[in-house]
């Protein structure tokens, strides 16, 4: 009897749903309906012959079989994507590509992506910049960058929204808001999409706030929050392990919703190396 192969698409939906903490969000990210994702999960359970998820309160948690499969699924998807990249590399891309990304990704998936790209395309020179969105958009317009990811479209015509991320209030574990004092906010100076989201939400709820610390670097923000100077609105990716996402309800803070991640491409630099790195960037931000 021939062994039954696991479906890559099913594994990707399963893995993405667990990483996002919601299969509804996974459906939106993959451009599918929630019912289609539910059918995929059911089919995956049929393929492995085990229940992968079980209800816990209002949500779903992994069963023991689900935890085991999730680890293998991540490895399978990584090998699948690596194989695709390796085959595509037979085209022997040459030239150079210049990319820019937000600081949030500098120490998470960016190094691995650049390493994989350079390994598969050794004849392509990659120049990477980690910077603020407004600066990178200016570089795109000047032809100094080929591709850039920014938080928000920043009002530029050559951009497309490629992903969304939940914004959380991040602070020290022992942070407690004093309702009689203005909330100390740690953030970049304007223009900053995270700062705007926080200020708009606080003003909407009538919560007094004050700028407690500003820095041009994300490392500086994390240091200020660690020191207990205040809280910062940010995504969870790249968050130091000793800091926590505060529960808005318990902390008396407004929910911040989602922030858009936009991809900008310079009009004058549409070339195979740029297209290939752009594809990898899109994969990186849409499967997490």
């Amino acid at each position: 009897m021939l062994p039954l192969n696991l479906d890559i698409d099913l594994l990707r939906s399963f893995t993405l749903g667990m990483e996002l903490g919601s299969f509804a969000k996974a459906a939106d990210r993959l451009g599918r309906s929630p019912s289609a994702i539910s059918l995929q999960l059911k089919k995956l359970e049929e393929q492995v012959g085990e229940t992968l998820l079980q209800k816990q309160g209002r949500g779903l948690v992994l069963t023991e079989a689900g935890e085991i499969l999730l680890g293998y699924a991540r490895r399978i998807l990584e090998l699948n994507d690596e194989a695709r990249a390796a085959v595509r590399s037979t085209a022997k891309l040459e030239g150079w590509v210049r990319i820019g990304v937000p600081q949030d990704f500098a120490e998470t998936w960016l190094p691995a992506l650049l390493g994989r790209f350079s390994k598969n395309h050794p004849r392509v020179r990659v120049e990477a910049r980690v910077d603020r969105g407004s600066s990178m958009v200016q570089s795109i317009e000047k032809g100094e960058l080929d591709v850039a990811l920014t938080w928000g479209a920043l009002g530029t015509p050559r951009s497309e929204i490629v992903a969304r991320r939940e914004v959380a209030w991040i602070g020290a574990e022992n942070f407690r808001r004093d309702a009689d004092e203005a909330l100390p906010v740690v953030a970049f100076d304007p223009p900053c999409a995270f700062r705007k989201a926080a200020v708009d939400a606080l003003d909407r709820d009538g919560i007094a706030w004050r700028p407690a610390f500003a820095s041009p670097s994300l490392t500086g923000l994390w240091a200020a929050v660690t020191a207990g100077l205040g809280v910062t609105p940010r995504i969870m990716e790249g968050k130091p392990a000793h800091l926590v996402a505060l529960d808005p309800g318990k902390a008396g803070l407004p929910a911040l919703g989602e922030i858009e991640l936009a991809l900008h491409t310079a009009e004058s630099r549409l070339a195979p190396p740029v297209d290939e790195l752009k594809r990898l960037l899109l994969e990186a931000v849409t499967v997490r």
Side-chain angles (χ1 to χ4, degrees), residues 29 99-105 109 131-134 136-137 140 145-165 193-194 235 258-266 278 281-282 285-286:
R29 189 75 61 82
I99 69 168
V101 297
Q103 297 181 49
D104 307 80
F105 304 137
W109 50 260
D131 206 342
R132 297 187 62 180
S134 56
M136 290 191 292
V137 166
I140 284 283
L145 285 177
D146 303 317
V147 180
L149 287 169
T150 67
W151 295 116
L154 302 179
T156 60
R158 294 190 55 77
S159 65
E160 57 178 317
I161 303 304
V162 295
R164 289 175 174 80
R165 294 288 191 274
F194 290 97
I235 62 169
E258 294 184 329
I259 190 170
E260 296 177 331
L261 188 61
L263 179 70
H264 307 256
T265 306
K278 179 178 175 180
L281 282 173
L282 288 173
V285 299
T286 56

Side-chain angles (χ1 to χ4, degrees), residues 51-233:
T51 299
L52 302 175
L53 298 160
Q54 60 187 10
K55 287 188 176 181
Q56 186 177 81
R58 295 182 177 180
L60 294 172
V61 296
L62 291 171
T63 62
E64 183 177 357
E67 290 180 353
I68 293 172
L69 181 63
L70 182 60
Y72 280 106
R74 286 171 173 156
R75 290 164 58 188
I76 291 170
L77 291 171
E78 183 176 348
L79 283 172
N80 174 80
D81 296 343
E82 185 178 323
R84 284 177 54 200
V87 171
R88 290 171 68 97
S89 71
T90 58
K92 301 299 182 186
L93 295 182
E94 297 182 356
W96 85 98
V97 60
R98 302 158 299 178
I99 69 168
V101 297
Q103 297 181 49
D104 307 80
F105 304 137
E107 297 181 4
T108 53
W109 50 260
L110 179 63
L113 182 148
L114 294 178
R116 199 172 89 202
F117 182 86
S118 296
K119 179 180 178 181
N120 292 329
H121 306 291
R123 299 183 184 180
V124 178
R125 186 183 71 195
V126 180
E127 298 175 8
R129 180 189 303 179
V130 177
D131 206 342
R132 297 187 62 180
S134 56
S135 176
M136 290 191 292
V137 166
Q138 290 177 8
S139 295
I140 284 283
E141 293 172 349
K142 293 178 181 178
E144 298 171 350
L145 285 177
D146 303 317
V147 180
L149 287 169
T150 67
W151 295 116
L154 302 179
T156 60
R158 294 190 55 77
S159 65
E160 57 178 317
I161 303 304
V162 295
R164 289 175 174 80
R165 294 288 191 274
E166 289 284 345
V167 182
W169 289 106
I170 297 176
E173 190 170 7
N174 61 352
F175 176 83
R176 296 292 182 273
R177 178 195 163 209
D178 186 344
D180 295 326
E181 298 288 339
L183 177 73
V185 175
V186 175
F188 291 149
D189 285 325
C192 171
F194 290 97
R195 181 191 183 101
K196 185 178 186 305
V199 169
D200 287 350
L202 291 169
D203 289 346
R204 184 176 60 246
D205 285 13
I207 298 175
W209 65 278
R210 63 178 176 83
F213 184 89
S215 169
S217 75
L218 187 56
T219 301
L221 298 189
W222 294 139
V225 175
T226 299
L229 299 185
V231 293
T232 188

